[in-house]
Amino acid sequence: LSTPTFRLANDTGKSEPDNISRDGLVTVSGLDEGATWEYSTNNGGKWLPGSGTSFTLGEGLYPKGSVLVRATDLAGNQKTSAANPTDINIDHTAPAASLTGYTDDAASQQGTFTFSTPTNDRTPTINGTGENGTLIELYLRRNNQNLNIGSTIVANGVWSITVPNDLADGTYNVFVVATDDAGNSSSTNASTVIIDTVTQGTLDGYIDNTVSKTNVIDFATPATATELSYVGTAEPGSTVD
């Protein structure tokens, strides 16, 4: 009677074979013709009948030494496999992640802001949250094209990725794809980043304060007084000199 062996059919973890997978299918080898087999997930405390050449582990952690396969021939002889040499972790759940805002370190507007606030930083740092150890990949979408900006690993529940190259003025959508150790992945909804490095304004005319404090005079008209106020437009929050 041959001694059976087993292994994960599809180790989807980051570094095969790490026995971390989103797929719980286990293949069994070394089965003699006519022999029956069974398997245990609690170090032989309970045996479950096997069929074909595989069985499936449900989601959860199976500690080192807990999974066994046992074959029995027609004469009643039995052979038991070696137990799993490392923990087996079956994980079907996609990791959660979010975008929380961006950090601007360019002059005149520095700090952390929500995505609805325009930034004059051409290489802002995008911030978010996630599950520790999760791989975060940041994508920027513009003109129906997705560009991978960079990646990082979540630590202490947060992550940050700085845009490596200058972005032109305009509106961009950003989103992240989060991937856990088992290969499960999820993506966030897109948030909007507005790059605006040009302050726009107009100079429309002047007011002769000796005559009227409300009548705006076009610059084509010569001023007859030295006490003047100038009138124009500017972006909200901007400084006019």
Side-chain angles (χ1 to χ4, degrees):
L1 179 65
S2 301
T3 301
T5 60
F6 66 91
R7 66 184 301 273
L8 283 175
N10 186 22
D11 190 330
T12 63
K14 294 179 180 178
S15 56
E16 186 180 358
D18 58 8
N19 281 337
I20 301 174
S21 181
R22 63 177 182 270
D23 185 351
L25 184 67
V26 177
T27 57
V28 179
S29 304
L31 298 172
D32 291 346
E33 185 176 355
T36 60
W37 63 277
E38 51 198 342
Y39 66 96
S40 174
T41 59
N42 61 355
N43 196 26
K46 180 180 179 181
W47 292 93
L48 300 171
S51 62
T53 57
S54 65
F55 63 96
T56 300
L57 295 173
E59 185 170 25
L61 177 66
Y62 299 84
K64 172 184 176 181
S66 62
V67 181
L68 298 164
V69 173
R70 183 171 66 186
T72 305
D73 65 15
L74 295 176
N77 300 303
Q78 292 186 325
K79 287 286 184 69
T80 302
S81 69
N84 52 309
T86 61
D87 292 350
I88 298 175
N89 187 3
I90 306 302
D91 180 4
H92 300 158
T93 305
S98 70
L99 293 155
T100 57
Y102 71 88
T103 300
D104 181 331
D105 61 5
S108 80
Q109 176 180 301
Q110 297 182 341
T112 299
F113 304 91
T114 61
F115 287 109
S116 60
T117 305
T119 175
N120 65 342
D121 188 348
R122 293 190 183 277
T123 57
T125 298
I126 309 301
N127 307 312
T129 63
E131 299 176 10
N132 289 340
T134 298
L135 171 66
I136 298 293
E137 296 175 285
L138 175 65
Y139 290 86
L140 182 150
R141 180 187 300 141
R142 194 181 190 195
N143 299 327
N144 295 320
Q145 293 184 332
N146 293 331
L147 176 65
N148 190 319
I149 295 299
S151 63
T152 190
I153 301 296
V154 178
N156 299 317
V158 295
W159 59 267
S160 295
I161 298 174
T162 299
V163 176
N165 301 311
D166 285 355
L167 297 175
D169 280 20
T171 300
Y172 301 84
N173 290 324
V174 293
F175 66 96
V176 299
V177 175
T179 305
D180 64 17
D181 287 343
N184 300 297
S185 63
S186 64
S187 61
T188 64
N189 293 326
S191 294
T192 300
V193 173
I194 302 171
I195 307 297
D196 182 5
T197 62
V198 178
T199 301
Q200 298 181 353
T202 62
L203 188 58
D204 299 330
Y206 66 90
I207 295 174
D208 185 339
N209 293 322
T210 64
V211 178
S212 170
K213 295 185 180 297
T214 60
N215 185 31
V216 178
I217 303 172
D218 186 89
F219 285 113
T221 302
T224 59
T226 58
E227 187 179 343
L228 305 176
S229 297
Y230 294 94
V231 178
T233 62
E235 296 181 4
S238 61
T239 299
V240 178
D241 297 320

